[in-house]
Amino acid sequence: HHQIFHKSQVVNIKMKFQKSTIPRPATPPGLPPHNSRPQPRSNLSFGVVCSSNINRSMEAHVVLGNAGLTVESYGTGTKVRLPGRSAYEPRVFNFGTRYEEMYSSMAATEGDVAFFTHNGVLQLCRRGAAVKAAPQRWQDTPSSAITKHDVVIAFEERIFDAVVEDLQMREPTEDFEPIHVICLDTKDNPHEAKIQGRIALELCWLLEKTVQRCGREMFVGEIPEILDSFQRERMKHTPIKVLHQLCYL
């Protein structure tokens, strides 16, 4: 059942959105496991990647960021694609278009507000705007920013492949540091993204704890074993394997 909004409500919704600060979305606090120090400093930098940088990677960005981890999110698609009025008419935006702008264009009429509230897209735009200005495309991000990441989590196999291929095609940097690319396959809907965001957080805390325990030198060798046991213990709900590729940039 679509909600019908009166003109005054549409204006109110837009006004609310245009306030300079949108509160950052609240997620479960995502604190580290009991056996680690109360708020350890984030030792690792995480990149989280999906197709359009609005659902799966943004869910992970919020959850990891609220837990005190160092994180940035990206998309690998050619454009930002959001579900439109029909499967044949997605709403398409360029990367770099502000989340606020996307929101405004999908809240242009009463019918739009009702439809895009009902399918959840306006909420995704609001959340995006509360975290950063605009979706970022992985392939267009300079290597100086990409090399800051120790671990990159992709939320679909084709996105994992795109990230690995991009890293292999880039000109190596002077430091030539390891970057671990991991795939946690996730269906592209808000419900699945929420579940996988929590699982990604567990994995990231596990990796943080490992690097604190054994240092960066040993960390590279530890990851395959960590992912194996994580697959066995934490991924019982899915037959899909956790993928891992070690890249250097």
Side-chain angles (χ1 to χ4, degrees):
H1 298 292
H2 293 333
Q3 252 173 305
I4 301 301
F5 290 88
H6 296 295
K7 271 210 172 69
S8 63
Q9 287 174 287
V10 175
V11 171
N12 280 346
I13 287 169
K14 285 188 174 175
M15 289 293 291
K16 266 187 202 159
F17 187 76
Q18 281 159 3
K19 283 184 182 160
S20 56
T21 54
I22 303 162
R24 191 182 171 89
T27 58
L31 287 171
H34 297 303
N35 53 0
S36 63
R37 296 194 303 280
Q39 267 295 1
R41 195 171 52 81
S42 185
N43 288 284
L44 297 171
S45 169
F46 297 95
V48 287
V49 194
C50 67
S51 187
S52 290
N53 193 194
I54 198 156
N55 177 33
R56 295 167 291 183
S57 63
M58 191 48 84
E59 176 70 34
H61 189 148
V62 170
V63 172
L64 269 59
N66 283 358
L69 298 174
T70 303
V71 62
E72 187 52 81
S73 57
Y74 308 89
T76 57
T78 48
K79 302 271 184 189
V80 175
R81 291 174 193 279
L82 301 174
R85 294 258 181 167
S86 78
Y88 305 105
E89 301 173 287
R91 297 300 283 263
V92 180
F93 299 92
N94 289 323
F95 275 92
T97 305
R98 294 174 70 84
Y99 292 109
E100 274 182 57
E101 212 177 296
M102 293 182 202
Y103 184 101
S104 299
S105 91
M106 287 185 288
T109 67
E110 292 171 40
D112 281 346
V113 170
F115 182 84
F116 290 112
T117 299
H118 181 74
N119 80 354
V121 166
L122 286 184
Q123 294 90 311
L124 293 181
C125 293
R126 277 187 74 86
R127 177 180 68 182
V131 175
K132 62 182 189 177
Q136 290 164 258
R137 188 166 185 260
W138 171 271
Q139 296 91 326
D140 299 339
T141 304
S143 293
S144 56
I146 296 290
T147 52
K148 290 190 170 83
H149 297 309
D150 302 289
V151 175
V152 176
I153 296 176
F155 289 101
E156 198 177 312
E157 190 168 347
R158 69 187 172 89
I159 291 157
F160 171 84
D161 291 340
V163 168
V164 169
E165 187 183 334
D166 174 73
L167 286 171
Q168 289 169 344
M169 284 170 65
R170 287 178 185 254
E171 194 68 36
T173 64
E174 266 178 51
D175 294 335
F176 204 58
E177 295 286 349
I179 300 177
H180 296 272
V181 188
I182 295 167
C183 182
L184 294 178
D185 205 88
T186 310
K187 282 197 182 75
D188 192 6
N189 65 57
H191 174 71
E192 294 295 326
K194 224 170 207 50
I195 294 168
Q196 207 69 304
R198 304 295 303 161
I199 290 172
L201 178 62
E202 284 180 41
L203 176 58
C204 292
W205 276 126
L206 210 56
L207 298 174
E208 278 282 351
K209 219 166 63 172
T210 306
V211 83
Q212 283 168 22
R213 191 187 72 239
C214 66
R216 283 180 177 273
E217 299 305 307
M218 303 293 287
F219 182 64
V220 172
E222 295 277 322
I223 284 201
E225 205 174 305
I226 290 167
L227 292 177
D228 275 352
S229 63
F230 190 78
Q231 173 88 50
R232 280 195 312 274
E233 291 159 27
R234 195 58 190 87
M235 305 298 280
K236 290 177 180 151
H237 59 290
T238 173
I240 298 168
K241 290 274 176 278
V242 176
L243 305 175
H244 170 241
Q245 176 74 49
L246 174 59
C247 298
Y248 285 85
L249 182 62

